[in-house]
Amino acid sequence: MNALRRVTPQLLTLAALVALVTVFFPDFLRIEVVNGRLVGTTMDILKRGAPVGLLAVGMTLVIATRGIDLSVGTTMAITGAVAAWSITQGYGLGGALGLALLAGVAAGLWNGTLVAIFGIQPIVATLILMTSGRGIAQLVTEGRILTFSHEGMAFFGSGDVLGIPAPALLWVLTAAGVAFLMRGSALGMLIEAVGVNRAASALAGVNATVLLIAVYVASGLCAALAGIVATADIRGADANNAGLWLELDAILAVVIGGNSLMGGRFSIAASLLGALIIQTIDTGILLAGFPSEYNLVIKAGLVLIILVLQSPNLSHHWYALRRAAQSRRETAMASAKETGQ
Amino acid sequence: MKHLLTTTAFLAFSASAALAQTVGFSQIGSESGWRAAETTLTKQQAEERGIDLKFSDAQQKQENQIAAIRSFIAQGVDAILLAPVVATGWDSVLEEAKEAEIPVVLLDRQVDSDKSLYLTAVGSDLVHEGEVAGKWLVDAVSGEECRVVELQGTTGSSPAIDRKTGFEKGIEGADNVEIVRSQTGDFTRAQGKEVMESFLQAENGGKDICALYAHNDDMAVGAIQAIKEAGLKPGEDILIVSIDAVPDIFQAMAAGEANATVELTPNMAGPAFDALDAYLTDGTEPEKFIQTESKLYTQDDDPAGEYERRKGLGY
């Protein structure tokens, strides 16, 4: 119940957006079954939202420790390139997935070590990999789009289970797994403690260094999954463009989810709703058929409105307004009772 | 007799080699597969002509290109090929080359400097490419109603603007062909696929779309996957025409999943060396702009063979 109240603003925003897109595109919510698969715009959103959704899971944890991970977009490019390379080299599906996830772990270890052990500011520490990572990915792909035709690998981009797109399932399951791990154990609380005050939590006996490295590794793993989805989707690794600027969308998803960039309390469910909100905007713009020059302006406008409506100062006013309305209603009811007597 | 032949051959060889023995080539960098293919072909062309090519990769930075040109001048090369990363800021370094009497040939992109500062520019006419694609489609549908969806390149980039204008020019006068939806796919496969998915949703599951025009092959390759996943046959249910002629589109054409592509040839160096040869032999001034051919390839042009010929070029 408490969790539901936490995500109410995000749910309302998403509902409002869906209503708005439906005005422009009446068939928005229609879902058909074609060749045993669910086909429709909502399915496209769930599928297309997978990379940002996956990145947002890891990003939420990093941001909860008062950090930030700018390298996730490039990590996607690296892991996607590794996956495509190992498939074409004949390492098989297991080998390709394993190597890609390993590359994600390596990226996370690099970031985590710079942040937790050397004490470099997270934004700078992860900027290093953000700028150099595409070069690494290009070294793997030798500067070209590395294509493959492996149905098992392509499944992660365009396959489906019981009619539901595989990428959608992947991000829902990943998010549910991580959320369960965080809230089913004390891990989530410990991460929040480190985010609020690292020194105090270390004094209280939390191994803050290991925990910090672990969240960056988790973020790297999520980026690896996103990279696999992106590569499987186009059956090729595009080192120049895979995950380009997606780190910003992931951060935006976390912020729309109402998580503070100052660390502390976090909600993975809210971040995911943030990712869905962003994808609904993106898909809605494509469906509405505006000239492409307006795409980013419309997106920026909608994001601005959403953030202003959710801003803490305004929410205080909402609360005051509701209280005032409530007390007015109570007085009116009381006076009505009095006159009735 | 045999002796005479070898002498002539030797003379001919040494004569052409004497014209342009060393040529400096300042390349932008390796921004795309096409760029890599251009580099490969330039090196091949130089080798075939017995030219010693001094190659410099600028890694997308103008200052690196200017430094490279200055070092070419200092080395006293016979000519310079320049693929400029941006259009402005070349005046002083081009003047230095002119004073040293080294002809400069621009490849693929133009500069805003005075025309007297370079010998010629070799490039493709982007509007013409779009026009060729549009005319092909008008011929292919032969009078039948055709609702076209368009995948644009990066919004505001000159290839996107020119290829759009050209296509519209190509279908001008054919009232049966109409662009119904047009969105940017950012020249990438992933975006091409995503935008095509939304086109398919918006146009009755794709049943109302007769053809796709993509500003580059990569977006078309992405869109082909989207069409297949929607249960339609690309190349039959939806005609596909795009621009660039990269290897992967020939693979799609060989499989019958794409219909036509217009070549943006990466062989800009061939015409450049020809112009240089003529200029250095008898001082023939070439035109200020040498337009490369925008060749149309369809499924009848041995796509499988074209794929084999192109895949090693580094696309």
Side-chain angles (χ1 to χ4, degrees):
Chain A
M1 196 60 220
N2 224 343
L4 195 65
R5 210 160 68 208
R6 164 73 180 78
V7 298
T8 307
Q10 283 75 32
L11 282 174
L12 287 177
T13 313
L14 190 59
L17 264 178
V18 168
L20 184 71
V21 179
T22 314
V23 171
F24 283 99
F25 187 74
D27 283 346
F28 184 71
L29 289 173
R30 198 184 60 190
I31 294 179
E32 289 173 311
V33 182
V34 178
N35 303 337
R37 303 169 51 176
L38 299 172
V39 174
T41 320
T42 34
M43 283 297 141
D44 279 353
I45 290 177
L46 286 174
K47 188 169 84 174
R48 290 281 150 228
V52 175
L54 284 165
L55 293 183
V57 172
M59 190 67 81
T60 308
L61 300 182
V62 172
I63 285 179
T65 66
R66 202 185 280 208
I68 202 149
D69 190 347
L70 293 182
S71 71
V72 288
T74 31
T75 306
M76 269 179 76
I78 297 173
T79 53
V82 169
W85 176 83
S86 29
I87 274 287
T88 51
Q89 294 293 313
Y91 286 105
L93 185 61
L97 294 180
L99 283 172
L101 291 176
L102 213 62
V105 170
L109 273 177
W110 166 263
N111 286 328
T113 309
L114 288 183
V115 172
I117 294 177
F118 294 102
I120 301 174
Q121 293 266 352
I123 197 166
V124 180
T126 55
L127 190 67
I128 296 169
L129 190 59
M130 179 191 176
T131 45
S132 61
R134 281 197 192 274
I136 299 172
Q138 274 168 353
L139 286 177
V140 177
T141 62
E142 292 169 359
R144 66 185 79 180
I145 298 180
L146 197 61
T147 52
F148 58 85
S149 52
H150 187 285
E151 286 309 315
M153 190 73 194
F155 171 82
F156 288 92
S158 45
D160 60 287
V161 180
L162 301 173
I164 301 166
L169 275 179
L170 186 65
W171 74 256
V172 168
L173 289 179
T174 307
V178 173
F180 181 75
L181 188 69
M182 289 300 140
R183 297 306 176 194
S185 70
L187 210 54
M189 208 177 68
L190 296 181
I191 288 176
E192 288 172 349
V194 172
V196 173
N197 191 329
R198 182 179 169 184
S201 54
L203 285 174
V206 179
N207 194 337
T209 309
V210 169
L211 213 54
L212 268 177
I213 296 178
V215 294
Y216 284 94
V217 169
S219 177
L221 269 172
C222 287
L225 288 174
I228 290 168
V229 168
T231 299
D233 183 36
I234 61 166
R235 298 169 190 235
D238 185 347
N240 280 316
N241 299 303
L244 193 61
W245 307 129
L246 278 197
E247 58 278 342
L248 299 182
D249 268 359
I251 294 168
L252 184 62
V254 175
V255 172
I256 290 180
N259 297 298
S260 166
L261 288 178
M262 300 305 290
R265 296 185 61 182
F266 68 91
S267 160
I268 290 177
S271 295
L272 287 180
L273 284 169
L276 278 181
I277 288 170
I278 294 174
Q279 192 56 46
T280 308
I281 295 176
D282 282 345
T283 307
I285 290 171
L286 291 179
L287 285 171
F290 295 118
S292 48
E293 288 81 359
Y294 294 107
N295 288 6
L296 297 176
V297 181
I298 296 171
K299 185 173 176 182
L302 285 172
V303 168
L304 180 70
I305 293 170
I306 292 168
L307 291 181
V308 166
L309 287 178
Q310 289 184 7
S311 72
N313 290 356
L314 208 65
S315 73
H316 182 73
H317 285 291
W318 287 127
Y319 184 68
L321 221 64
R322 214 168 52 207
R323 279 288 294 274
Q326 205 171 12
S327 64
R328 238 196 331 270
R329 218 171 326 151
E330 272 164 12
T331 8
M333 242 153 59
S335 59
K337 258 184 204 160
E338 269 170 30
T339 45
Q341 272 177 348
Chain B
M1 187 62 203
K2 194 181 164 199
H3 181 72
L4 186 71
L5 269 179
T6 16
T7 322
T8 348
F10 178 71
L11 276 177
F13 177 75
S14 58
S16 76
L19 293 173
Q21 278 180 329
T22 49
V23 173
F25 175 31
S26 171
Q27 174 64 291
I28 293 175
S30 50
E31 51 174 20
S32 63
W34 185 87
R35 200 55 67 196
E38 187 190 39
T39 304
T40 314
L41 273 166
T42 307
K43 286 177 178 167
Q44 272 180 15
Q45 288 284 335
E47 207 176 302
E48 277 172 25
R49 291 157 200 256
I51 294 169
D52 176 20
L53 191 77
K54 296 196 183 299
F55 178 74
S56 160
D57 183 322
Q59 295 176 330
Q60 277 84 2
K61 287 209 175 75
Q62 187 180 24
E63 66 246 39
N64 291 349
Q65 291 203 295
I66 292 175
I69 295 174
R70 293 217 165 104
S71 102
F72 290 151
I73 297 172
Q75 292 170 43
V77 296
D78 299 312
I80 293 171
L81 303 181
L82 167 65
V85 63
V86 292
T88 52
W90 298 101
D91 291 4
S92 65
V93 74
L94 287 181
E95 263 160 30
E96 287 168 36
K98 199 182 175 190
E99 275 163 25
E101 293 181 350
I102 299 172
V104 177
V105 178
L106 304 177
L107 295 190
D108 173 46
R109 298 190 190 181
Q110 302 273 357
V111 299
D112 279 346
S113 306
D114 191 78
K115 284 195 162 50
S116 66
L117 290 178
Y118 56 86
L119 182 68
T120 179
V122 183
S124 167
D125 184 342
L126 297 163
V127 178
H128 181 63
E129 290 169 0
E131 210 177 333
V132 172
K135 288 216 169 103
W136 174 83
L137 184 63
V138 172
D139 287 345
V141 296
S142 56
E144 276 178 55
E145 280 298 307
C146 189
R147 291 161 60 84
V148 184
V149 294
E150 179 183 32
L151 284 171
Q152 296 178 34
T154 307
T155 308
S157 68
S158 67
I161 296 168
D162 291 348
R163 285 174 178 177
K164 185 172 175 55
T165 317
F167 187 79
E168 282 161 2
K169 236 163 105 180
I171 60 171
E172 215 170 47
D175 295 332
N176 54 324
V177 180
E178 179 200 8
I179 299 176
V180 289
R181 277 179 184 268
S182 179
Q183 252 298 340
T184 175
D186 260 338
F187 284 131
T188 68
R189 272 179 207 217
Q191 279 289 309
K193 186 174 181 189
E194 179 171 354
V195 176
M196 192 66 206
E197 278 173 2
S198 78
F199 283 166
L200 292 167
Q201 289 292 341
E203 296 291 330
N204 191 16
K207 293 180 195 78
D208 295 346
I209 303 174
C210 135
L212 162 75
Y213 166 51
H215 287 188
N216 77 347
D217 289 339
D218 274 331
M219 290 192 291
V221 170
I224 287 169
Q225 284 173 11
I227 295 169
K228 278 202 279 192
E229 280 165 27
L232 294 171
K233 281 205 183 75
E236 286 177 34
D237 298 329
I238 296 178
L239 299 176
I240 296 185
V241 54
S242 51
I243 298 179
D244 274 357
V246 302
D248 284 351
I249 199 76
F250 285 106
Q251 213 172 18
M253 263 199 260
E257 292 170 348
N259 302 86
T261 185
V262 181
E263 184 180 34
L264 166 61
T265 177
N267 182 12
M268 304 264 167
F273 285 137
D274 290 343
L276 274 172
D277 259 2
Y279 176 72
L280 293 175
T281 327
D282 44 23
T284 323
E285 282 274 348
E287 298 265 324
K288 278 295 165 190
F289 181 68
I290 301 173
Q291 186 182 332
T292 54
E293 190 191 3
S294 299
K295 190 166 186 279
L296 180 81
Y297 287 90
T298 63
Q299 290 180 354
D300 303 329
D301 296 312
D302 183 26
E306 285 297 331
Y307 173 72
E308 289 301 321
R309 277 190 280 286
R310 280 155 201 269
K311 70 176 184 187
L313 293 179
Y315 271 109

